[in-house]
Amino acid sequence: MTDWTDPDTFAQALECVETKEKGNCFEDFEEGDVIEHDPGLTLTKFGNEQWMSQTLNHDPAYWRPDVAADRGFDEPPIHPDYLTAATLGITVEDLSEKGGYFLGRTDVRFAKDAVYPGTDMYVESEVVNTASSSSRPQYGIVSWRTRAKDLETDDLLLSYERTNMIPRREPLETDGGSAATEEESDDGSLPETFVTPDGGYFEDFVAALEAAESENAAVAYRHERGRTQDDVTVAQLPLATLNTAKQHHNVDVMADSPSGDIVTYGDVTRSTALGHARSDERTWREVGFDDESFHTFVTPGDTVYAFTRVLEADDEASSDEAGTVRFQHIAFNQDDTPVYSGTRIAEIRKRSN
Ligand SMILES: C/C(=C\C(=O)SCCNC(=O)CCNC(=O)[C@H](O)C(C)(C)COP(=O)(O)OP(=O)(O)OC[C@H]1O[C@@H](n2cnc3c(N)ncnc32)[C@H](O)[C@@H]1OP(=O)(O)O)C(=O)O
């Protein structure tokens, strides 16, 4: 009788059987397709606090009822980073579990009203673009518009457009030619002077921008904190958002991948960097993000730091107590290599008169 548990026999059996695969390939996506992502998720206080604590997002309005009330919230709301990560996490099983690279995300916009613990969220995505990759014929490039809604009221909570490289079932026939195109060449030089805002209020950003305007200068600075990636940030946080991407929790498979190891969920990397940045400002509300890119892998043991550039400031905001600032945030590792960049629009508290 065959002993299926004999190691040699079992190895042979593994070679012979089919794998019941998970996820979709590039060929499965067609422009206009709408995908409803089961199972949805209830946004809980525990999930919110676990995400915020592990990514160093300590804004008291998301922790303390008295500060929440002062900021116009009914109670400490769900943090926009957790909402973003949970929304993307739910989509992975249908969109990117096959193992594509997360290339970027843009037009991330939050509803005006805060989202509170206990909200049952459902998420759907529409395929907005499919394209060939000229540099990697074994992949295609897919963009989706994803929307998270309140299951009870159907109110839109968050929307964004995301782009991934997705493995093809059949690689494209190509000559393997390089996709290199001439990029516009700006001279790449940095300004002579870097201005650091004196504080974290709206007026401090305005003053720094004014100071920089008069010379060849930029308002740019780094944040001191770093967060070394461990089992909690790499594997636990994405799993807590139902993110099934093997990149984050299957060391066995990832050992043979370009990173050679499991990698940090992009939303953990960016939220950690944003936590560092927010610790040096008086955030009032998050408005949105654009042009987000993940430049290289973050693996266990890497440390995520943050760098901020202040791009512009506008007196208008949803409340008289705040103004609006546009930032560029760059997350980088212990070797000073950028791992994430994106622009962010946030309302920043004004000094009380
Ligand atoms: C969730 C989840 C996944 C994760 O969270 S994984 C963790 C976060 N992501 C990463 O760690 C990825 C780190 N990035 C990289 O390793 C490299 O950047 C990458 C993805 C391997 C690409 O490197 P390249 O140097 O090859 O990058 P290129 O700039 O040449 O781009 C390759 C092709 O993609 C096209 N492309 C890039 N960005 C965009 C975009 N935003 N929109 C549309 N297309 C884009 C680019 O034009 C190149 O096209 P070709 O035709 O020339 O191939 C999860 O999602 O499950």
Side-chain angles (χ1 to χ4, degrees):
M1 206 171 66
T2 307
D3 177 3
W4 284 70
T5 63
D6 169 75
D8 291 337
T9 309
F10 185 62
Q12 253 182 305
L14 277 182
E15 288 283 309
C16 297
V17 298
E18 272 185 24
T19 301
K20 286 174 79 71
E21 293 189 18
K22 292 281 187 208
N24 289 306
C25 291
F26 174 72
E27 291 84 346
D28 299 320
F29 296 106
E30 211 167 293
E31 273 175 47
D33 285 354
V34 176
I35 302 140
E36 288 184 16
H37 305 292
D38 296 331
L41 189 80
T42 302
L43 296 163
T44 62
K45 186 168 184 274
F46 172 76
N48 197 37
E49 292 187 346
Q50 185 195 36
W51 186 277
M52 292 189 300
S53 59
Q54 292 300 330
T55 57
L56 288 94
N57 276 284
H58 297 167
D59 182 341
Y62 294 90
W63 296 89
R64 283 173 41 195
D66 57 326
V67 183
D70 175 52
R71 291 261 290 278
F73 298 126
D74 299 343
E75 61 177 296
I78 294 296
H79 194 284
D81 287 4
Y82 177 53
L83 177 64
T84 309
T87 300
L88 199 149
I90 290 169
T91 70
V92 167
E93 184 169 359
D94 297 320
L95 305 187
S96 52
E97 181 163 350
K98 217 51 186 170
Y101 297 103
F102 182 8
L103 291 173
R105 187 172 48 194
T106 197
D107 200 24
V108 184
R109 292 294 177 273
F110 305 103
K112 279 222 155 51
D113 292 335
V115 180
Y116 293 106
T119 303
D120 290 321
M121 179 170 77
Y122 79 92
V123 180
E124 63 179 29
S125 299
E126 181 179 348
V127 181
V128 292
N129 198 51
T130 61
S132 296
S133 164
S134 41
S135 60
R136 289 178 174 77
Q138 68 277 33
Y139 289 89
I141 297 172
V142 186
S143 302
W144 307 271
R145 163 66 60 181
T146 294
R147 295 182 187 88
K149 294 184 181 171
D150 183 323
L151 185 61
E152 204 180 312
T153 62
D154 209 36
D155 289 344
L156 186 67
L157 309 177
L158 164 72
S159 148
Y160 60 74
E161 189 176 314
R162 163 190 177 213
T163 302
N164 276 53
M165 262 197 197
I166 301 294
R168 287 177 180 272
R169 216 166 265 120
E170 297 296 334
L172 268 190
E173 297 280 332
T174 71
D175 58 6
S178 154
T181 50
E182 287 306 311
E183 287 290 306
E184 77 278 14
S185 74
D186 89 32
D187 73 357
S189 61
L190 287 170
E192 281 162 17
T193 312
F194 297 94
V195 177
T196 307
D198 285 341
Y201 286 98
F202 176 70
E203 292 85 344
D204 298 311
F205 294 113
V206 172
L209 284 168
E210 281 170 4
E213 209 175 61
S214 54
E215 42 189 323
N216 180 13
V219 182
Y221 46 100
R222 61 188 287 176
H223 307 276
E224 183 177 348
R225 285 181 182 158
R227 170 68 160 106
T228 302
Q229 298 303 293
D230 56 21
D231 185 53
V232 172
T233 54
V234 179
Q236 274 191 36
L237 289 186
L239 285 171
T241 69
L242 312 188
N243 179 339
T244 53
K246 57 175 88 63
Q247 289 100 309
H248 313 310
H249 60 257
N250 189 333
V251 176
D252 178 39
V253 168
M254 293 304 288
D256 289 332
S257 75
S259 60
D261 202 346
I262 49 176
V263 304
T264 303
Y265 177 21
D267 270 334
V268 170
T269 303
R270 61 92 89 161
S271 185
T272 302
L274 294 170
H276 300 333
R278 291 179 185 122
S279 73
D280 291 323
E281 68 179 46
R282 305 296 302 242
T283 323
W284 178 261
R285 292 281 190 283
E286 295 292 332
V287 178
F289 292 81
D290 289 289
D291 302 320
E292 297 194 283
S293 294
F294 297 89
H295 303 281
T296 193
F297 301 114
V298 176
T299 56
D302 283 351
T303 302
V304 175
Y305 294 99
F307 176 98
T308 292
R309 216 151 64 87
V310 182
L311 303 177
E312 55 191 352
D314 181 346
D315 206 49
E316 291 295 305
S318 64
S319 160
D320 290 344
E321 299 200 50
T324 303
V325 179
R326 201 161 71 85
F327 300 95
Q328 183 190 38
H329 297 293
I330 300 174
F332 62 97
N333 64 20
Q334 63 285 354
D335 301 321
D336 295 347
T337 302
V339 295
Y340 159 88
S341 65
T343 60
R344 164 173 167 249
I345 305 167
E347 295 181 351
I348 305 294
R349 192 164 200 152
K350 291 181 177 167
R351 279 202 171 78
S352 345
N353 299 319

Short mmCIF file of all heavy atoms in Angstrom, two decimals, residues 45 48-49 52 57-80 114-117 282-286 349:
data_model
loop_
_atom_site.label_atom_id
_atom_site.label_comp_id
_atom_site.label_asym_id
_atom_site.label_seq_id
_atom_site.Cartn_x
_atom_site.Cartn_y
_atom_site.Cartn_z
N LYS A 45 -12.93 49.58 17.03
CA LYS A 45 -12.02 50.40 17.85
C LYS A 45 -10.70 49.64 18.05
O LYS A 45 -9.63 50.22 17.96
CB LYS A 45 -12.71 50.64 19.20
CG LYS A 45 -12.01 51.58 20.14
CD LYS A 45 -12.97 51.92 21.28
CE LYS A 45 -12.38 52.95 22.23
NZ LYS A 45 -11.56 52.39 23.28
N ASN A 48 -8.61 49.71 14.83
CA ASN A 48 -8.15 51.08 14.66
C ASN A 48 -6.96 51.37 15.58
O ASN A 48 -5.92 51.88 15.16
CB ASN A 48 -9.33 52.01 15.00
CG ASN A 48 -9.16 53.42 14.51
OD1 ASN A 48 -8.63 53.65 13.43
ND2 ASN A 48 -9.64 54.38 15.30
N GLU A 49 -7.14 51.00 16.85
CA GLU A 49 -6.08 51.32 17.83
C GLU A 49 -4.84 50.46 17.60
O GLU A 49 -3.71 50.92 17.78
CB GLU A 49 -6.63 51.16 19.26
CG GLU A 49 -7.67 52.23 19.55
CD GLU A 49 -8.15 52.26 21.00
OE1 GLU A 49 -7.88 51.28 21.73
OE2 GLU A 49 -8.81 53.25 21.37
N MET A 52 -3.11 52.15 14.63
CA MET A 52 -2.51 53.44 14.98
C MET A 52 -1.32 53.28 15.91
O MET A 52 -0.30 53.97 15.76
CB MET A 52 -3.56 54.34 15.64
CG MET A 52 -4.66 54.80 14.71
SD MET A 52 -5.69 56.05 15.48
CE MET A 52 -6.34 55.20 16.90
N ASN A 57 0.88 56.42 15.08
CA ASN A 57 -0.05 57.51 14.84
C ASN A 57 -0.76 57.83 16.16
O ASN A 57 -1.71 57.14 16.54
CB ASN A 57 -1.04 57.13 13.73
CG ASN A 57 -0.44 57.39 12.37
OD1 ASN A 57 -0.35 58.54 11.92
ND2 ASN A 57 0.03 56.33 11.71
N HIS A 58 -0.26 58.87 16.82
CA HIS A 58 -0.69 59.13 18.20
C HIS A 58 -1.53 60.40 18.34
O HIS A 58 -1.65 60.93 19.43
CB HIS A 58 0.54 59.22 19.11
CG HIS A 58 1.32 57.95 19.17
ND1 HIS A 58 2.57 57.87 19.69
CD2 HIS A 58 1.01 56.70 18.76
CE1 HIS A 58 3.02 56.62 19.60
NE2 HIS A 58 2.08 55.89 19.03
N ASP A 59 -2.07 60.92 17.25
CA ASP A 59 -2.92 62.11 17.32
C ASP A 59 -4.04 61.85 18.35
O ASP A 59 -4.86 60.95 18.17
CB ASP A 59 -3.52 62.36 15.92
CG ASP A 59 -4.38 63.60 15.87
OD1 ASP A 59 -4.82 64.08 16.93
OD2 ASP A 59 -4.62 64.09 14.74
N PRO A 60 -4.09 62.65 19.43
CA PRO A 60 -5.03 62.33 20.52
C PRO A 60 -6.50 62.36 20.11
O PRO A 60 -7.33 61.74 20.76
CB PRO A 60 -4.74 63.40 21.58
CG PRO A 60 -3.91 64.44 20.91
CD PRO A 60 -3.22 63.80 19.75
N ALA A 61 -6.82 63.06 19.02
CA ALA A 61 -8.24 63.10 18.60
C ALA A 61 -8.75 61.71 18.22
O ALA A 61 -9.96 61.47 18.22
CB ALA A 61 -8.40 64.03 17.40
N TYR A 62 -7.81 60.79 17.89
CA TYR A 62 -8.23 59.43 17.53
C TYR A 62 -8.20 58.49 18.73
O TYR A 62 -8.48 57.30 18.60
CB TYR A 62 -7.35 58.90 16.39
CG TYR A 62 -7.58 59.69 15.12
CD1 TYR A 62 -6.82 60.82 14.83
CD2 TYR A 62 -8.59 59.34 14.23
CE1 TYR A 62 -7.05 61.58 13.69
CE2 TYR A 62 -8.84 60.08 13.09
CZ TYR A 62 -8.07 61.19 12.83
OH TYR A 62 -8.32 61.93 11.70
N TRP A 63 -7.81 59.03 19.90
CA TRP A 63 -7.71 58.20 21.10
C TRP A 63 -8.61 58.70 22.23
O TRP A 63 -9.18 57.90 22.96
CB TRP A 63 -6.25 58.19 21.62
CG TRP A 63 -5.27 57.57 20.67
CD1 TRP A 63 -4.57 58.18 19.67
CD2 TRP A 63 -4.90 56.20 20.62
NE1 TRP A 63 -3.78 57.29 19.01
CE2 TRP A 63 -3.95 56.05 19.57
CE3 TRP A 63 -5.24 55.06 21.36
CZ2 TRP A 63 -3.37 54.83 19.24
CZ3 TRP A 63 -4.65 53.85 21.04
CH2 TRP A 63 -3.72 53.74 19.98
N ARG A 64 -8.71 60.04 22.38
CA ARG A 64 -9.37 60.60 23.57
C ARG A 64 -10.66 61.31 23.21
O ARG A 64 -10.65 62.24 22.39
CB ARG A 64 -8.42 61.59 24.25
CG ARG A 64 -7.33 60.90 25.04
CD ARG A 64 -6.33 61.89 25.56
NE ARG A 64 -6.92 63.13 26.07
CZ ARG A 64 -6.22 64.23 26.30
NH1 ARG A 64 -4.92 64.26 26.06
NH2 ARG A 64 -6.81 65.31 26.76
N PRO A 65 -11.79 60.94 23.85
CA PRO A 65 -13.08 61.58 23.55
C PRO A 65 -13.05 63.10 23.71
O PRO A 65 -13.66 63.82 22.92
CB PRO A 65 -14.04 60.93 24.54
CG PRO A 65 -13.42 59.62 24.88
CD PRO A 65 -11.94 59.82 24.81
N ASP A 66 -12.34 63.63 24.73
CA ASP A 66 -12.35 65.09 24.95
C ASP A 66 -11.67 65.81 23.80
O ASP A 66 -12.16 66.83 23.30
CB ASP A 66 -11.71 65.45 26.29
CG ASP A 66 -10.28 64.96 26.43
OD1 ASP A 66 -9.95 63.88 25.88
OD2 ASP A 66 -9.45 65.66 27.04
N VAL A 67 -10.55 65.28 23.32
CA VAL A 67 -9.85 65.93 22.20
C VAL A 67 -10.65 65.72 20.91
O VAL A 67 -10.74 66.61 20.06
CB VAL A 67 -8.41 65.38 22.05
CG1 VAL A 67 -7.68 66.11 20.95
CG2 VAL A 67 -7.65 65.51 23.36
N ALA A 68 -11.27 64.55 20.77
CA ALA A 68 -12.12 64.30 19.60
C ALA A 68 -13.23 65.34 19.54
O ALA A 68 -13.49 65.94 18.47
CB ALA A 68 -12.70 62.89 19.67
N ALA A 69 -13.88 65.61 20.68
CA ALA A 69 -14.97 66.59 20.72
C ALA A 69 -14.44 67.98 20.35
O ALA A 69 -15.07 68.71 19.58
CB ALA A 69 -15.59 66.61 22.11
N ASP A 70 -13.26 68.31 20.82
CA ASP A 70 -12.65 69.61 20.52
C ASP A 70 -12.40 69.77 19.01
O ASP A 70 -12.42 70.86 18.47
CB ASP A 70 -11.32 69.70 21.30
CG ASP A 70 -10.54 70.95 20.97
OD1 ASP A 70 -11.14 72.03 21.06
OD2 ASP A 70 -9.34 70.84 20.61
N ARG A 71 -12.19 68.65 18.34
CA ARG A 71 -11.93 68.70 16.89
C ARG A 71 -13.21 68.49 16.07
O ARG A 71 -13.14 68.35 14.84
CB ARG A 71 -10.90 67.62 16.55
CG ARG A 71 -9.50 67.93 17.10
CD ARG A 71 -8.60 68.54 16.03
NE ARG A 71 -8.26 67.56 15.02
CZ ARG A 71 -7.29 66.67 15.16
NH1 ARG A 71 -6.55 66.64 16.25
NH2 ARG A 71 -7.04 65.81 14.19
N GLY A 72 -14.36 68.45 16.74
CA GLY A 72 -15.63 68.36 16.01
C GLY A 72 -16.07 66.94 15.70
O GLY A 72 -16.98 66.73 14.89
N PHE A 73 -15.47 65.94 16.33
CA PHE A 73 -15.89 64.55 16.13
C PHE A 73 -16.84 64.13 17.25
O PHE A 73 -16.72 64.62 18.38
CB PHE A 73 -14.68 63.61 16.16
CG PHE A 73 -13.66 63.86 15.07
CD1 PHE A 73 -12.32 64.07 15.39
CD2 PHE A 73 -14.02 63.85 13.74
CE1 PHE A 73 -11.37 64.27 14.40
CE2 PHE A 73 -13.08 64.06 12.74
CZ PHE A 73 -11.75 64.26 13.06
N ASP A 74 -17.76 63.20 16.96
CA ASP A 74 -18.68 62.71 17.99
C ASP A 74 -17.93 61.85 19.02
O ASP A 74 -18.32 61.77 20.18
CB ASP A 74 -19.78 61.82 17.37
CG ASP A 74 -20.62 62.61 16.37
OD1 ASP A 74 -20.56 63.86 16.42
OD2 ASP A 74 -21.32 61.98 15.56
N GLU A 75 -16.94 61.14 18.55
CA GLU A 75 -16.11 60.26 19.40
C GLU A 75 -14.82 60.02 18.62
O GLU A 75 -14.73 60.44 17.45
CB GLU A 75 -16.83 58.93 19.65
CG GLU A 75 -17.12 58.16 18.37
CD GLU A 75 -17.77 56.81 18.59
OE1 GLU A 75 -17.14 55.94 19.21
OE2 GLU A 75 -18.90 56.63 18.11
N PRO A 76 -13.79 59.41 19.20
CA PRO A 76 -12.58 59.16 18.40
C PRO A 76 -12.93 58.35 17.14
O PRO A 76 -13.49 57.25 17.23
CB PRO A 76 -11.68 58.37 19.36
CG PRO A 76 -12.11 58.83 20.71
CD PRO A 76 -13.61 59.03 20.61
N PRO A 77 -12.67 58.92 15.96
CA PRO A 77 -13.09 58.24 14.73
C PRO A 77 -12.09 57.18 14.28
O PRO A 77 -11.00 57.04 14.84
CB PRO A 77 -13.16 59.37 13.70
CG PRO A 77 -12.36 60.49 14.27
CD PRO A 77 -12.08 60.24 15.72
N ILE A 78 -12.46 56.49 13.21
CA ILE A 78 -11.54 55.57 12.53
C ILE A 78 -10.49 56.43 11.82
O ILE A 78 -10.82 57.40 11.14
CB ILE A 78 -12.32 54.71 11.50
CG1 ILE A 78 -13.31 53.77 12.21
CG2 ILE A 78 -11.38 53.94 10.57
CD1 ILE A 78 -12.68 52.72 13.12
N HIS A 79 -9.23 56.07 11.99
CA HIS A 79 -8.15 56.86 11.38
C HIS A 79 -8.14 56.64 9.86
O HIS A 79 -8.29 55.50 9.39
CB HIS A 79 -6.80 56.44 11.98
CG HIS A 79 -5.72 57.40 11.66
ND1 HIS A 79 -5.12 57.46 10.42
CD2 HIS A 79 -5.17 58.39 12.40
CE1 HIS A 79 -4.24 58.43 10.43
NE2 HIS A 79 -4.24 59.02 11.61
N PRO A 80 -7.94 57.72 9.08
CA PRO A 80 -7.95 57.56 7.62
C PRO A 80 -6.92 56.54 7.10
O PRO A 80 -7.18 55.87 6.09
CB PRO A 80 -7.60 58.97 7.12
CG PRO A 80 -8.05 59.88 8.21
CD PRO A 80 -7.84 59.13 9.49
N ALA A 114 -16.64 62.13 9.35
CA ALA A 114 -15.76 61.12 9.94
C ALA A 114 -16.45 59.75 9.95
O ALA A 114 -17.67 59.66 9.90
CB ALA A 114 -15.42 61.53 11.37
N VAL A 115 -15.63 58.71 9.98
CA VAL A 115 -16.13 57.33 10.05
C VAL A 115 -15.88 56.84 11.48
O VAL A 115 -14.79 57.04 12.02
CB VAL A 115 -15.37 56.44 9.04
CG1 VAL A 115 -15.86 55.01 9.09
CG2 VAL A 115 -15.47 57.03 7.63
N TYR A 116 -16.90 56.20 12.06
CA TYR A 116 -16.78 55.81 13.47
C TYR A 116 -16.71 54.29 13.65
O TYR A 116 -17.20 53.53 12.79
CB TYR A 116 -17.97 56.38 14.26
CG TYR A 116 -17.91 57.90 14.32
CD1 TYR A 116 -18.77 58.68 13.55
CD2 TYR A 116 -16.94 58.53 15.10
CE1 TYR A 116 -18.68 60.07 13.58
CE2 TYR A 116 -16.85 59.92 15.13
CZ TYR A 116 -17.70 60.68 14.37
OH TYR A 116 -17.60 62.04 14.38
N PRO A 117 -16.10 53.84 14.77
CA PRO A 117 -16.05 52.40 15.05
C PRO A 117 -17.47 51.81 15.02
O PRO A 117 -18.43 52.46 15.41
CB PRO A 117 -15.46 52.33 16.47
CG PRO A 117 -14.66 53.58 16.60
CD PRO A 117 -15.39 54.63 15.80
N ARG A 282 0.23 69.78 13.56
CA ARG A 282 -1.05 69.79 14.27
C ARG A 282 -2.15 69.47 13.26
O ARG A 282 -2.85 70.35 12.78
CB ARG A 282 -1.29 71.17 14.91
CG ARG A 282 -0.17 71.61 15.84
CD ARG A 282 -0.05 70.70 17.03
NE ARG A 282 -1.29 70.65 17.78
CZ ARG A 282 -1.43 71.04 19.04
NH1 ARG A 282 -0.40 71.48 19.71
NH2 ARG A 282 -2.59 70.97 19.64
N THR A 283 -2.27 68.21 12.92
CA THR A 283 -3.26 67.80 11.92
C THR A 283 -4.68 68.12 12.41
O THR A 283 -5.01 67.87 13.57
CB THR A 283 -3.20 66.28 11.69
OG1 THR A 283 -1.84 65.85 11.76
CG2 THR A 283 -3.83 65.88 10.37
N TRP A 284 -5.50 68.63 11.48
CA TRP A 284 -6.93 68.86 11.79
C TRP A 284 -7.77 67.78 11.10
O TRP A 284 -8.50 67.05 11.73
CB TRP A 284 -7.33 70.27 11.35
CG TRP A 284 -8.77 70.61 11.57
CD1 TRP A 284 -9.77 70.56 10.64
CD2 TRP A 284 -9.38 71.03 12.79
NE1 TRP A 284 -10.97 70.92 11.21
CE2 TRP A 284 -10.76 71.23 12.53
CE3 TRP A 284 -8.90 71.27 14.08
CZ2 TRP A 284 -11.66 71.64 13.50
CZ3 TRP A 284 -9.80 71.69 15.06
CH2 TRP A 284 -11.16 71.87 14.76
N ARG A 285 -7.63 67.66 9.79
CA ARG A 285 -8.35 66.64 9.02
C ARG A 285 -7.44 66.17 7.88
O ARG A 285 -6.67 66.96 7.35
CB ARG A 285 -9.60 67.20 8.34
CG ARG A 285 -10.72 67.60 9.25
CD ARG A 285 -11.54 66.39 9.73
NE ARG A 285 -12.74 66.82 10.42
CZ ARG A 285 -12.80 67.29 11.67
NH1 ARG A 285 -11.68 67.38 12.38
NH2 ARG A 285 -13.95 67.66 12.22
N GLU A 286 -7.61 64.90 7.48
CA GLU A 286 -6.95 64.40 6.27
C GLU A 286 -7.91 64.63 5.10
O GLU A 286 -9.10 64.33 5.21
CB GLU A 286 -6.65 62.91 6.38
CG GLU A 286 -5.65 62.53 7.44
CD GLU A 286 -4.24 63.01 7.14
OE1 GLU A 286 -3.89 63.16 5.94
OE2 GLU A 286 -3.49 63.25 8.11
N ARG A 349 -4.19 72.64 11.86
CA ARG A 349 -4.78 73.57 12.83
C ARG A 349 -4.06 74.91 12.84
O ARG A 349 -2.83 74.97 12.72
CB ARG A 349 -4.71 72.95 14.23
CG ARG A 349 -5.53 73.69 15.23
CD ARG A 349 -5.77 72.88 16.49
NE ARG A 349 -6.94 73.44 17.17
CZ ARG A 349 -7.74 72.76 17.94
NH1 ARG A 349 -7.56 71.49 18.13
NH2 ARG A 349 -8.77 73.36 18.51
#
